[in-house]
Amino acid sequence: MEIYKWIIKLKGVDVILAKPFLFLLELVRIVIFLAIGFGVLGWVEQLIYAPIKIQIEDYFSVYLIGNLLILFVFYRNVFQFGGWFKSTQNKKLPRTLTALLSLLAVLLIASPFIA
């Protein structure tokens, strides 16, 4: 069994990295992306809903799903193409699915105004 290896340059020195190691680096990158994304989106929602006296805790699961949808669309359409793990299966979401998921996310996040 052959291990797929990639050679990258670090300060002029060739470094051989196995594909599974690059995959683990990509997973760490995704976790960091999600942590920062949820933090920023939660902060923005706090800024919007605090003056209106809407408690985010009452709608936590709805916000969580809406934020997850936004981050998923952003990752699949933008962020996945700049990582360490390159794959031939990296493709953007279709436009209709992107629009549908984005609309659903906005509706979920705006649900306190709708309800």
mmCIF file of all heavy atoms in Angstrom, residues 38-57:
data_model
loop_
_atom_site.group_PDB
_atom_site.id
_atom_site.type_symbol
_atom_site.label_atom_id
_atom_site.label_comp_id
_atom_site.label_asym_id
_atom_site.label_seq_id
_atom_site.Cartn_x
_atom_site.Cartn_y
_atom_site.Cartn_z
ATOM 1 N N PHE A 38 -19.034 30.922 14.774
ATOM 2 C CA PHE A 38 -20.122 30.967 15.750
ATOM 3 C C PHE A 38 -19.953 32.148 16.704
ATOM 4 O O PHE A 38 -20.936 32.781 17.092
ATOM 5 C CB PHE A 38 -20.209 29.662 16.543
ATOM 6 C CG PHE A 38 -20.926 28.557 15.823
ATOM 7 C CD1 PHE A 38 -20.321 27.334 15.644
ATOM 8 C CD2 PHE A 38 -22.204 28.736 15.344
ATOM 9 C CE1 PHE A 38 -20.975 26.307 14.993
ATOM 10 C CE2 PHE A 38 -22.875 27.720 14.686
ATOM 11 C CZ PHE A 38 -22.256 26.503 14.506
ATOM 12 N N GLY A 39 -18.715 32.436 17.087
ATOM 13 C CA GLY A 39 -18.474 33.582 17.975
ATOM 14 C C GLY A 39 -18.865 34.896 17.338
ATOM 15 O O GLY A 39 -19.551 35.721 17.958
ATOM 16 N N VAL A 40 -18.460 35.105 16.108
ATOM 17 C CA VAL A 40 -18.771 36.368 15.416
ATOM 18 C C VAL A 40 -20.271 36.485 15.153
ATOM 19 O O VAL A 40 -20.873 37.542 15.406
ATOM 20 C CB VAL A 40 -17.963 36.473 14.098
ATOM 21 C CG1 VAL A 40 -18.463 37.613 13.241
ATOM 22 C CG2 VAL A 40 -16.489 36.638 14.400
ATOM 23 N N LEU A 41 -20.890 35.424 14.649
ATOM 24 C CA LEU A 41 -22.328 35.486 14.375
ATOM 25 C C LEU A 41 -23.137 35.665 15.653
ATOM 26 O O LEU A 41 -24.114 36.427 15.681
ATOM 27 C CB LEU A 41 -22.776 34.227 13.627
ATOM 28 C CG LEU A 41 -22.308 34.111 12.182
ATOM 29 C CD1 LEU A 41 -22.686 32.757 11.610
ATOM 30 C CD2 LEU A 41 -22.852 35.222 11.323
ATOM 31 N N GLY A 42 -22.739 34.999 16.728
ATOM 32 C CA GLY A 42 -23.433 35.177 18.006
ATOM 33 C C GLY A 42 -23.293 36.591 18.545
ATOM 34 O O GLY A 42 -24.246 37.163 19.081
ATOM 35 N N TRP A 43 -22.113 37.176 18.373
ATOM 36 C CA TRP A 43 -21.887 38.550 18.826
ATOM 37 C C TRP A 43 -22.760 39.526 18.034
ATOM 38 O O TRP A 43 -23.372 40.436 18.613
ATOM 39 C CB TRP A 43 -20.406 38.884 18.668
ATOM 40 C CG TRP A 43 -20.050 40.291 18.987
ATOM 41 C CD1 TRP A 43 -20.057 40.885 20.206
ATOM 42 C CD2 TRP A 43 -19.649 41.293 18.056
ATOM 43 N NE1 TRP A 43 -19.671 42.197 20.094
ATOM 44 C CE2 TRP A 43 -19.419 42.465 18.775
ATOM 45 C CE3 TRP A 43 -19.458 41.297 16.677
ATOM 46 C CZ2 TRP A 43 -19.018 43.647 18.163
ATOM 47 C CZ3 TRP A 43 -19.053 42.463 16.075
ATOM 48 C CH2 TRP A 43 -18.839 43.622 16.817
ATOM 49 N N VAL A 44 -22.836 39.328 16.718
ATOM 50 C CA VAL A 44 -23.664 40.203 15.878
ATOM 51 C C VAL A 44 -25.136 40.065 16.258
ATOM 52 O O VAL A 44 -25.861 41.072 16.352
ATOM 53 C CB VAL A 44 -23.442 39.890 14.379
ATOM 54 C CG1 VAL A 44 -24.474 40.578 13.508
ATOM 55 C CG2 VAL A 44 -22.040 40.278 13.955
ATOM 56 N N GLU A 45 -25.577 38.844 16.499
ATOM 57 C CA GLU A 45 -26.968 38.648 16.896
ATOM 58 C C GLU A 45 -27.256 39.291 18.243
ATOM 59 O O GLU A 45 -28.333 39.858 18.454
ATOM 60 C CB GLU A 45 -27.297 37.161 16.929
ATOM 61 C CG GLU A 45 -27.362 36.562 15.543
ATOM 62 C CD GLU A 45 -27.287 35.055 15.534
ATOM 63 O OE1 GLU A 45 -27.217 34.446 16.623
ATOM 64 O OE2 GLU A 45 -27.292 34.489 14.436
ATOM 65 N N GLN A 46 -26.310 39.222 19.179
ATOM 66 C CA GLN A 46 -26.478 39.899 20.472
ATOM 67 C C GLN A 46 -26.647 41.400 20.270
ATOM 68 O O GLN A 46 -27.488 42.026 20.908
ATOM 69 C CB GLN A 46 -25.264 39.654 21.371
ATOM 70 C CG GLN A 46 -25.288 38.409 22.209
ATOM 71 C CD GLN A 46 -26.368 38.433 23.253
ATOM 72 O OE1 GLN A 46 -27.447 37.910 23.008
ATOM 73 N NE2 GLN A 46 -26.100 38.996 24.405
ATOM 74 N N LEU A 47 -25.811 41.972 19.391
ATOM 75 C CA LEU A 47 -25.904 43.413 19.134
ATOM 76 C C LEU A 47 -27.248 43.805 18.535
ATOM 77 O O LEU A 47 -27.776 44.879 18.823
ATOM 78 C CB LEU A 47 -24.783 43.856 18.187
ATOM 79 C CG LEU A 47 -23.370 43.860 18.755
ATOM 80 C CD1 LEU A 47 -22.367 44.244 17.678
ATOM 81 C CD2 LEU A 47 -23.262 44.826 19.929
ATOM 82 N N ILE A 48 -27.798 42.932 17.696
ATOM 83 C CA ILE A 48 -29.077 43.249 17.048
ATOM 84 C C ILE A 48 -30.246 43.049 18.010
ATOM 85 O O ILE A 48 -31.148 43.889 18.083
ATOM 86 C CB ILE A 48 -29.264 42.378 15.784
ATOM 87 C CG1 ILE A 48 -28.243 42.785 14.728
ATOM 88 C CG2 ILE A 48 -30.680 42.489 15.245
ATOM 89 C CD1 ILE A 48 -28.187 41.868 13.538
ATOM 90 N N TYR A 49 -30.241 41.961 18.750
ATOM 91 C CA TYR A 49 -31.406 41.607 19.552
ATOM 92 C C TYR A 49 -31.404 42.206 20.957
ATOM 93 O O TYR A 49 -32.457 42.295 21.575
ATOM 94 C CB TYR A 49 -31.550 40.088 19.650
ATOM 95 C CG TYR A 49 -31.981 39.459 18.347
ATOM 96 C CD1 TYR A 49 -31.248 38.448 17.746
ATOM 97 C CD2 TYR A 49 -33.125 39.889 17.704
ATOM 98 C CE1 TYR A 49 -31.646 37.877 16.554
ATOM 99 C CE2 TYR A 49 -33.538 39.332 16.511
ATOM 100 C CZ TYR A 49 -32.793 38.325 15.940
ATOM 101 O OH TYR A 49 -33.192 37.771 14.760
ATOM 102 N N ALA A 50 -30.269 42.625 21.474
ATOM 103 C CA ALA A 50 -30.228 43.178 22.837
ATOM 104 C C ALA A 50 -31.055 44.460 22.969
ATOM 105 O O ALA A 50 -31.821 44.595 23.937
ATOM 106 C CB ALA A 50 -28.784 43.398 23.274
ATOM 107 N N PRO A 51 -30.946 45.434 22.039
ATOM 108 C CA PRO A 51 -31.767 46.645 22.196
ATOM 109 C C PRO A 51 -33.272 46.389 22.073
ATOM 110 O O PRO A 51 -34.082 47.142 22.598
ATOM 111 C CB PRO A 51 -31.306 47.555 21.058
ATOM 112 C CG PRO A 51 -30.008 47.020 20.598
ATOM 113 C CD PRO A 51 -30.014 45.572 20.930
ATOM 114 N N ILE A 52 -33.641 45.316 21.417
ATOM 115 C CA ILE A 52 -35.054 45.003 21.215
ATOM 116 C C ILE A 52 -35.595 44.184 22.391
ATOM 117 O O ILE A 52 -36.780 43.897 22.452
ATOM 118 C CB ILE A 52 -35.244 44.231 19.889
ATOM 119 C CG1 ILE A 52 -34.576 44.992 18.756
ATOM 120 C CG2 ILE A 52 -36.700 44.049 19.557
ATOM 121 C CD1 ILE A 52 -34.509 44.215 17.468
ATOM 122 N N LYS A 53 -34.734 43.820 23.317
ATOM 123 C CA LYS A 53 -35.090 43.034 24.507
ATOM 124 C C LYS A 53 -35.549 41.611 24.159
ATOM 125 O O LYS A 53 -36.451 41.070 24.779
ATOM 126 C CB LYS A 53 -36.182 43.727 25.325
ATOM 127 C CG LYS A 53 -35.887 45.141 25.726
ATOM 128 C CD LYS A 53 -35.123 45.189 26.997
ATOM 129 C CE LYS A 53 -35.074 46.565 27.568
ATOM 130 N NZ LYS A 53 -34.016 47.409 27.120
ATOM 131 N N ILE A 54 -34.914 41.025 23.146
ATOM 132 C CA ILE A 54 -35.181 39.626 22.805
ATOM 133 C C ILE A 54 -34.038 38.797 23.363
ATOM 134 O O ILE A 54 -32.875 39.073 23.115
ATOM 135 C CB ILE A 54 -35.287 39.440 21.275
ATOM 136 C CG1 ILE A 54 -36.520 40.167 20.733
ATOM 137 C CG2 ILE A 54 -35.346 37.958 20.912
ATOM 138 C CD1 ILE A 54 -36.657 40.109 19.245
ATOM 139 N N GLN A 55 -34.386 37.780 24.149
ATOM 140 C CA GLN A 55 -33.385 36.915 24.747
ATOM 141 C C GLN A 55 -32.962 35.844 23.751
ATOM 142 O O GLN A 55 -33.792 35.057 23.298
ATOM 143 C CB GLN A 55 -33.935 36.246 26.011
ATOM 144 C CG GLN A 55 -34.264 37.211 27.117
ATOM 145 C CD GLN A 55 -33.019 37.905 27.648
ATOM 146 O OE1 GLN A 55 -31.960 37.307 27.729
ATOM 147 N NE2 GLN A 55 -33.160 39.178 27.977
ATOM 148 N N ILE A 56 -31.680 35.816 23.409
ATOM 149 C CA ILE A 56 -31.170 34.814 22.471
ATOM 150 C C ILE A 56 -31.293 33.411 23.070
ATOM 151 O O ILE A 56 -31.507 32.449 22.344
ATOM 152 C CB ILE A 56 -29.710 35.138 22.086
ATOM 153 C CG1 ILE A 56 -29.702 36.334 21.141
ATOM 154 C CG2 ILE A 56 -29.033 33.959 21.441
ATOM 155 C CD1 ILE A 56 -28.354 36.686 20.605
ATOM 156 N N GLU A 57 -31.203 33.299 24.367
ATOM 157 C CA GLU A 57 -31.264 31.990 25.006
ATOM 158 C C GLU A 57 -32.598 31.296 24.751
ATOM 159 O O GLU A 57 -32.673 30.071 24.740
ATOM 160 C CB GLU A 57 -31.029 32.109 26.518
ATOM 161 C CG GLU A 57 -29.630 32.547 26.894
ATOM 162 C CD GLU A 57 -29.420 34.059 26.762
ATOM 163 O OE1 GLU A 57 -30.414 34.827 26.748
ATOM 164 O OE2 GLU A 57 -28.263 34.464 26.655
#
